Amino acid sequence: MNLSKPQSTVMGLEFLRLEDAKVKLQDVTWPPITKSWLMLLLLMFIEENSRYLDPIYFGDYPESMRQRLGSDLPTFSEKDKKFIKNKIDFIGLNHYTSRLIAHHQNPDDVYFYKVQQMERVEKWSSGESIGERAASEWLVIVPWGLHKLLNYIVKKYNNPVIYVTENGMDDEDDQSATIDQVLNDTKRVGYFKGYLNSVAQAIKDGADVRGYFAWSFLDNFEWAMGYTKRFGIVYVDYKDGLSRHPKASALWFSRLLKGEAAENSYS
């Protein structure tokens, strides 16, 4: 890969020539960066996303993964590649959040990031957060990240059919809150407005997005967090026979689907 030429959008970053040595993202101009930093960014994105899609669309893992992992990766015969390639009807995209990354030789993070010598970053160089946090530590609200990701998929995989199969945010299960308080989930309404606007922008750019599924319809048992996090647009009262109560976000979605929300603003 020749990094002296402009690159396509990856992880929300617009790559400019290395001679200019600047990256512009969401009206923020970053200080000079190095070729090794750009390579780290590309490798991180490839190994987070392309490891799934490249074998399906191109018949093999990305070359960078071959170089890094060698014989640990399975190999495909030409017959295998022909059988695997282009056999899917659509891409189902689960997306909740976005992060920036930075090079770090000993990041205080999970093993996956340690071996790649990187850390996930949630603040701009100015110290300002890239987005508001939801209830879960990992979920930062960054709507423009979905727009960037959809456009990247369009460019790299020749505009496949895409369904956003999961997108949403969680609240804490606050036992001290009243029913009126828990139903007034204005942050979630703002989340869906922002992310649906990003989907709409990607469609205007040419992305073939044919469906969007909010996560989730009901509050659910959330992996290791159990019932302590609530993703639903409908509140489930675990102490009252699992009775269900539509939140403000459910009512907003109802208006949107009826065409009552303002066009292009999802308000």
Side-chain angles (χ1 to χ4, degrees):
M1 180 175 293
N2 184 354
L3 290 178
S4 65
K5 296 181 179 179
Q7 303 298 314
S8 59
T9 301
V10 179
M11 290 294 289
L13 297 176
E14 303 288 349
F15 289 162
L16 306 180
R17 289 182 176 85
L18 283 176
E19 293 89 331
D20 300 333
K22 288 187 178 180
V23 172
K24 188 174 183 182
L25 173 56
Q26 291 297 104
D27 299 323
V28 175
T29 301
W30 284 61
I33 57 177
T34 64
K35 183 174 180 178
S36 62
W37 194 94
L38 284 176
M39 286 302 299
L40 171 71
L41 179 65
L42 290 170
L43 287 172
M44 188 271 182
F45 187 82
I46 287 170
E47 295 186 14
E48 282 273 348
N49 298 277
S50 300
R51 57 177 168 166
Y52 301 110
L53 292 177
D54 274 25
I56 295 172
Y57 280 92
F58 306 135
D60 203 354
Y61 292 104
E63 180 59 29
S64 63
M65 289 188 67
R66 288 279 179 210
Q67 293 175 1
R68 286 163 63 84
L69 300 177
S71 60
D72 289 338
L73 280 179
T75 58
F76 303 110
S77 67
E78 290 303 316
K79 183 179 180 181
D80 290 336
K81 293 179 181 180
K82 184 177 180 180
F83 179 77
I84 293 171
K85 286 174 61 175
N86 299 313
K87 292 298 193 299
I88 64 172
D89 298 313
F90 63 89
I91 290 176
L93 179 64
N94 295 354
H95 181 88
Y96 292 87
T97 188
S98 298
R99 301 285 184 90
L100 307 178
I101 64 165
H103 180 260
H104 198 303
Q105 291 187 345
N106 296 292
D108 184 18
D109 211 324
V110 296
Y111 177 76
F112 177 81
Y113 297 100
K114 287 183 178 180
V115 296
Q116 298 188 69
Q117 295 189 347
M118 68 179 68
E119 62 179 344
R120 296 171 295 177
V121 181
E122 300 173 5
K123 294 182 179 180
W124 302 110
S125 56
S126 64
E128 182 182 358
S129 175
I130 62 173
E132 187 177 4
R133 189 182 300 280
S136 289
E137 180 277 333
W138 57 268
L139 209 167
V140 183
I141 302 172
V142 190
W144 50 261
L146 180 54
H147 180 205
K148 298 286 188 179
L149 179 57
L150 289 169
N151 281 351
Y152 175 82
I153 292 172
V154 167
K155 293 176 182 178
K156 182 167 185 181
Y157 301 106
N158 194 27
N159 201 11
V161 175
I162 301 172
Y163 288 86
V164 179
T165 43
E166 290 185 21
N167 183 238
M169 58 151 282
D170 59 345
D171 293 316
E172 293 286 354
D173 178 36
D174 186 354
Q175 294 294 314
S176 65
T178 66
I179 186 67
D180 288 337
Q181 288 174 325
V182 297
L183 296 184
N184 189 30
D185 59 340
T186 54
K187 183 186 289 189
R188 181 173 289 104
V189 173
Y191 178 99
F192 285 130
K193 286 181 181 180
Y195 278 87
L196 278 169
N197 266 312
S198 287
V199 173
Q201 291 169 17
I203 292 173
K204 288 181 179 179
D205 293 340
D208 191 3
V209 181
R210 301 191 187 182
Y212 173 93
F213 296 84
W215 186 268
S216 68
F217 177 55
L218 299 171
D219 291 327
N220 60 291
F221 188 88
E222 183 58 27
W223 296 95
M225 305 310 296
Y227 294 115
T228 65
K229 300 291 187 288
R230 292 179 177 267
F231 275 87
I233 63 174
V234 173
Y235 179 81
V236 178
D237 192 336
Y238 303 129
K239 296 181 179 180
D240 184 27
L242 302 181
S243 59
R244 302 173 182 183
H245 309 268
K247 302 177 186 178
S249 54
L251 301 178
W252 175 81
F253 255 113
S254 177
R255 294 195 302 272
L256 175 69
L257 296 175
K258 291 176 182 177
E260 297 174 2
E263 186 177 0
N264 297 328
S265 65
Y266 301 113
S267 59

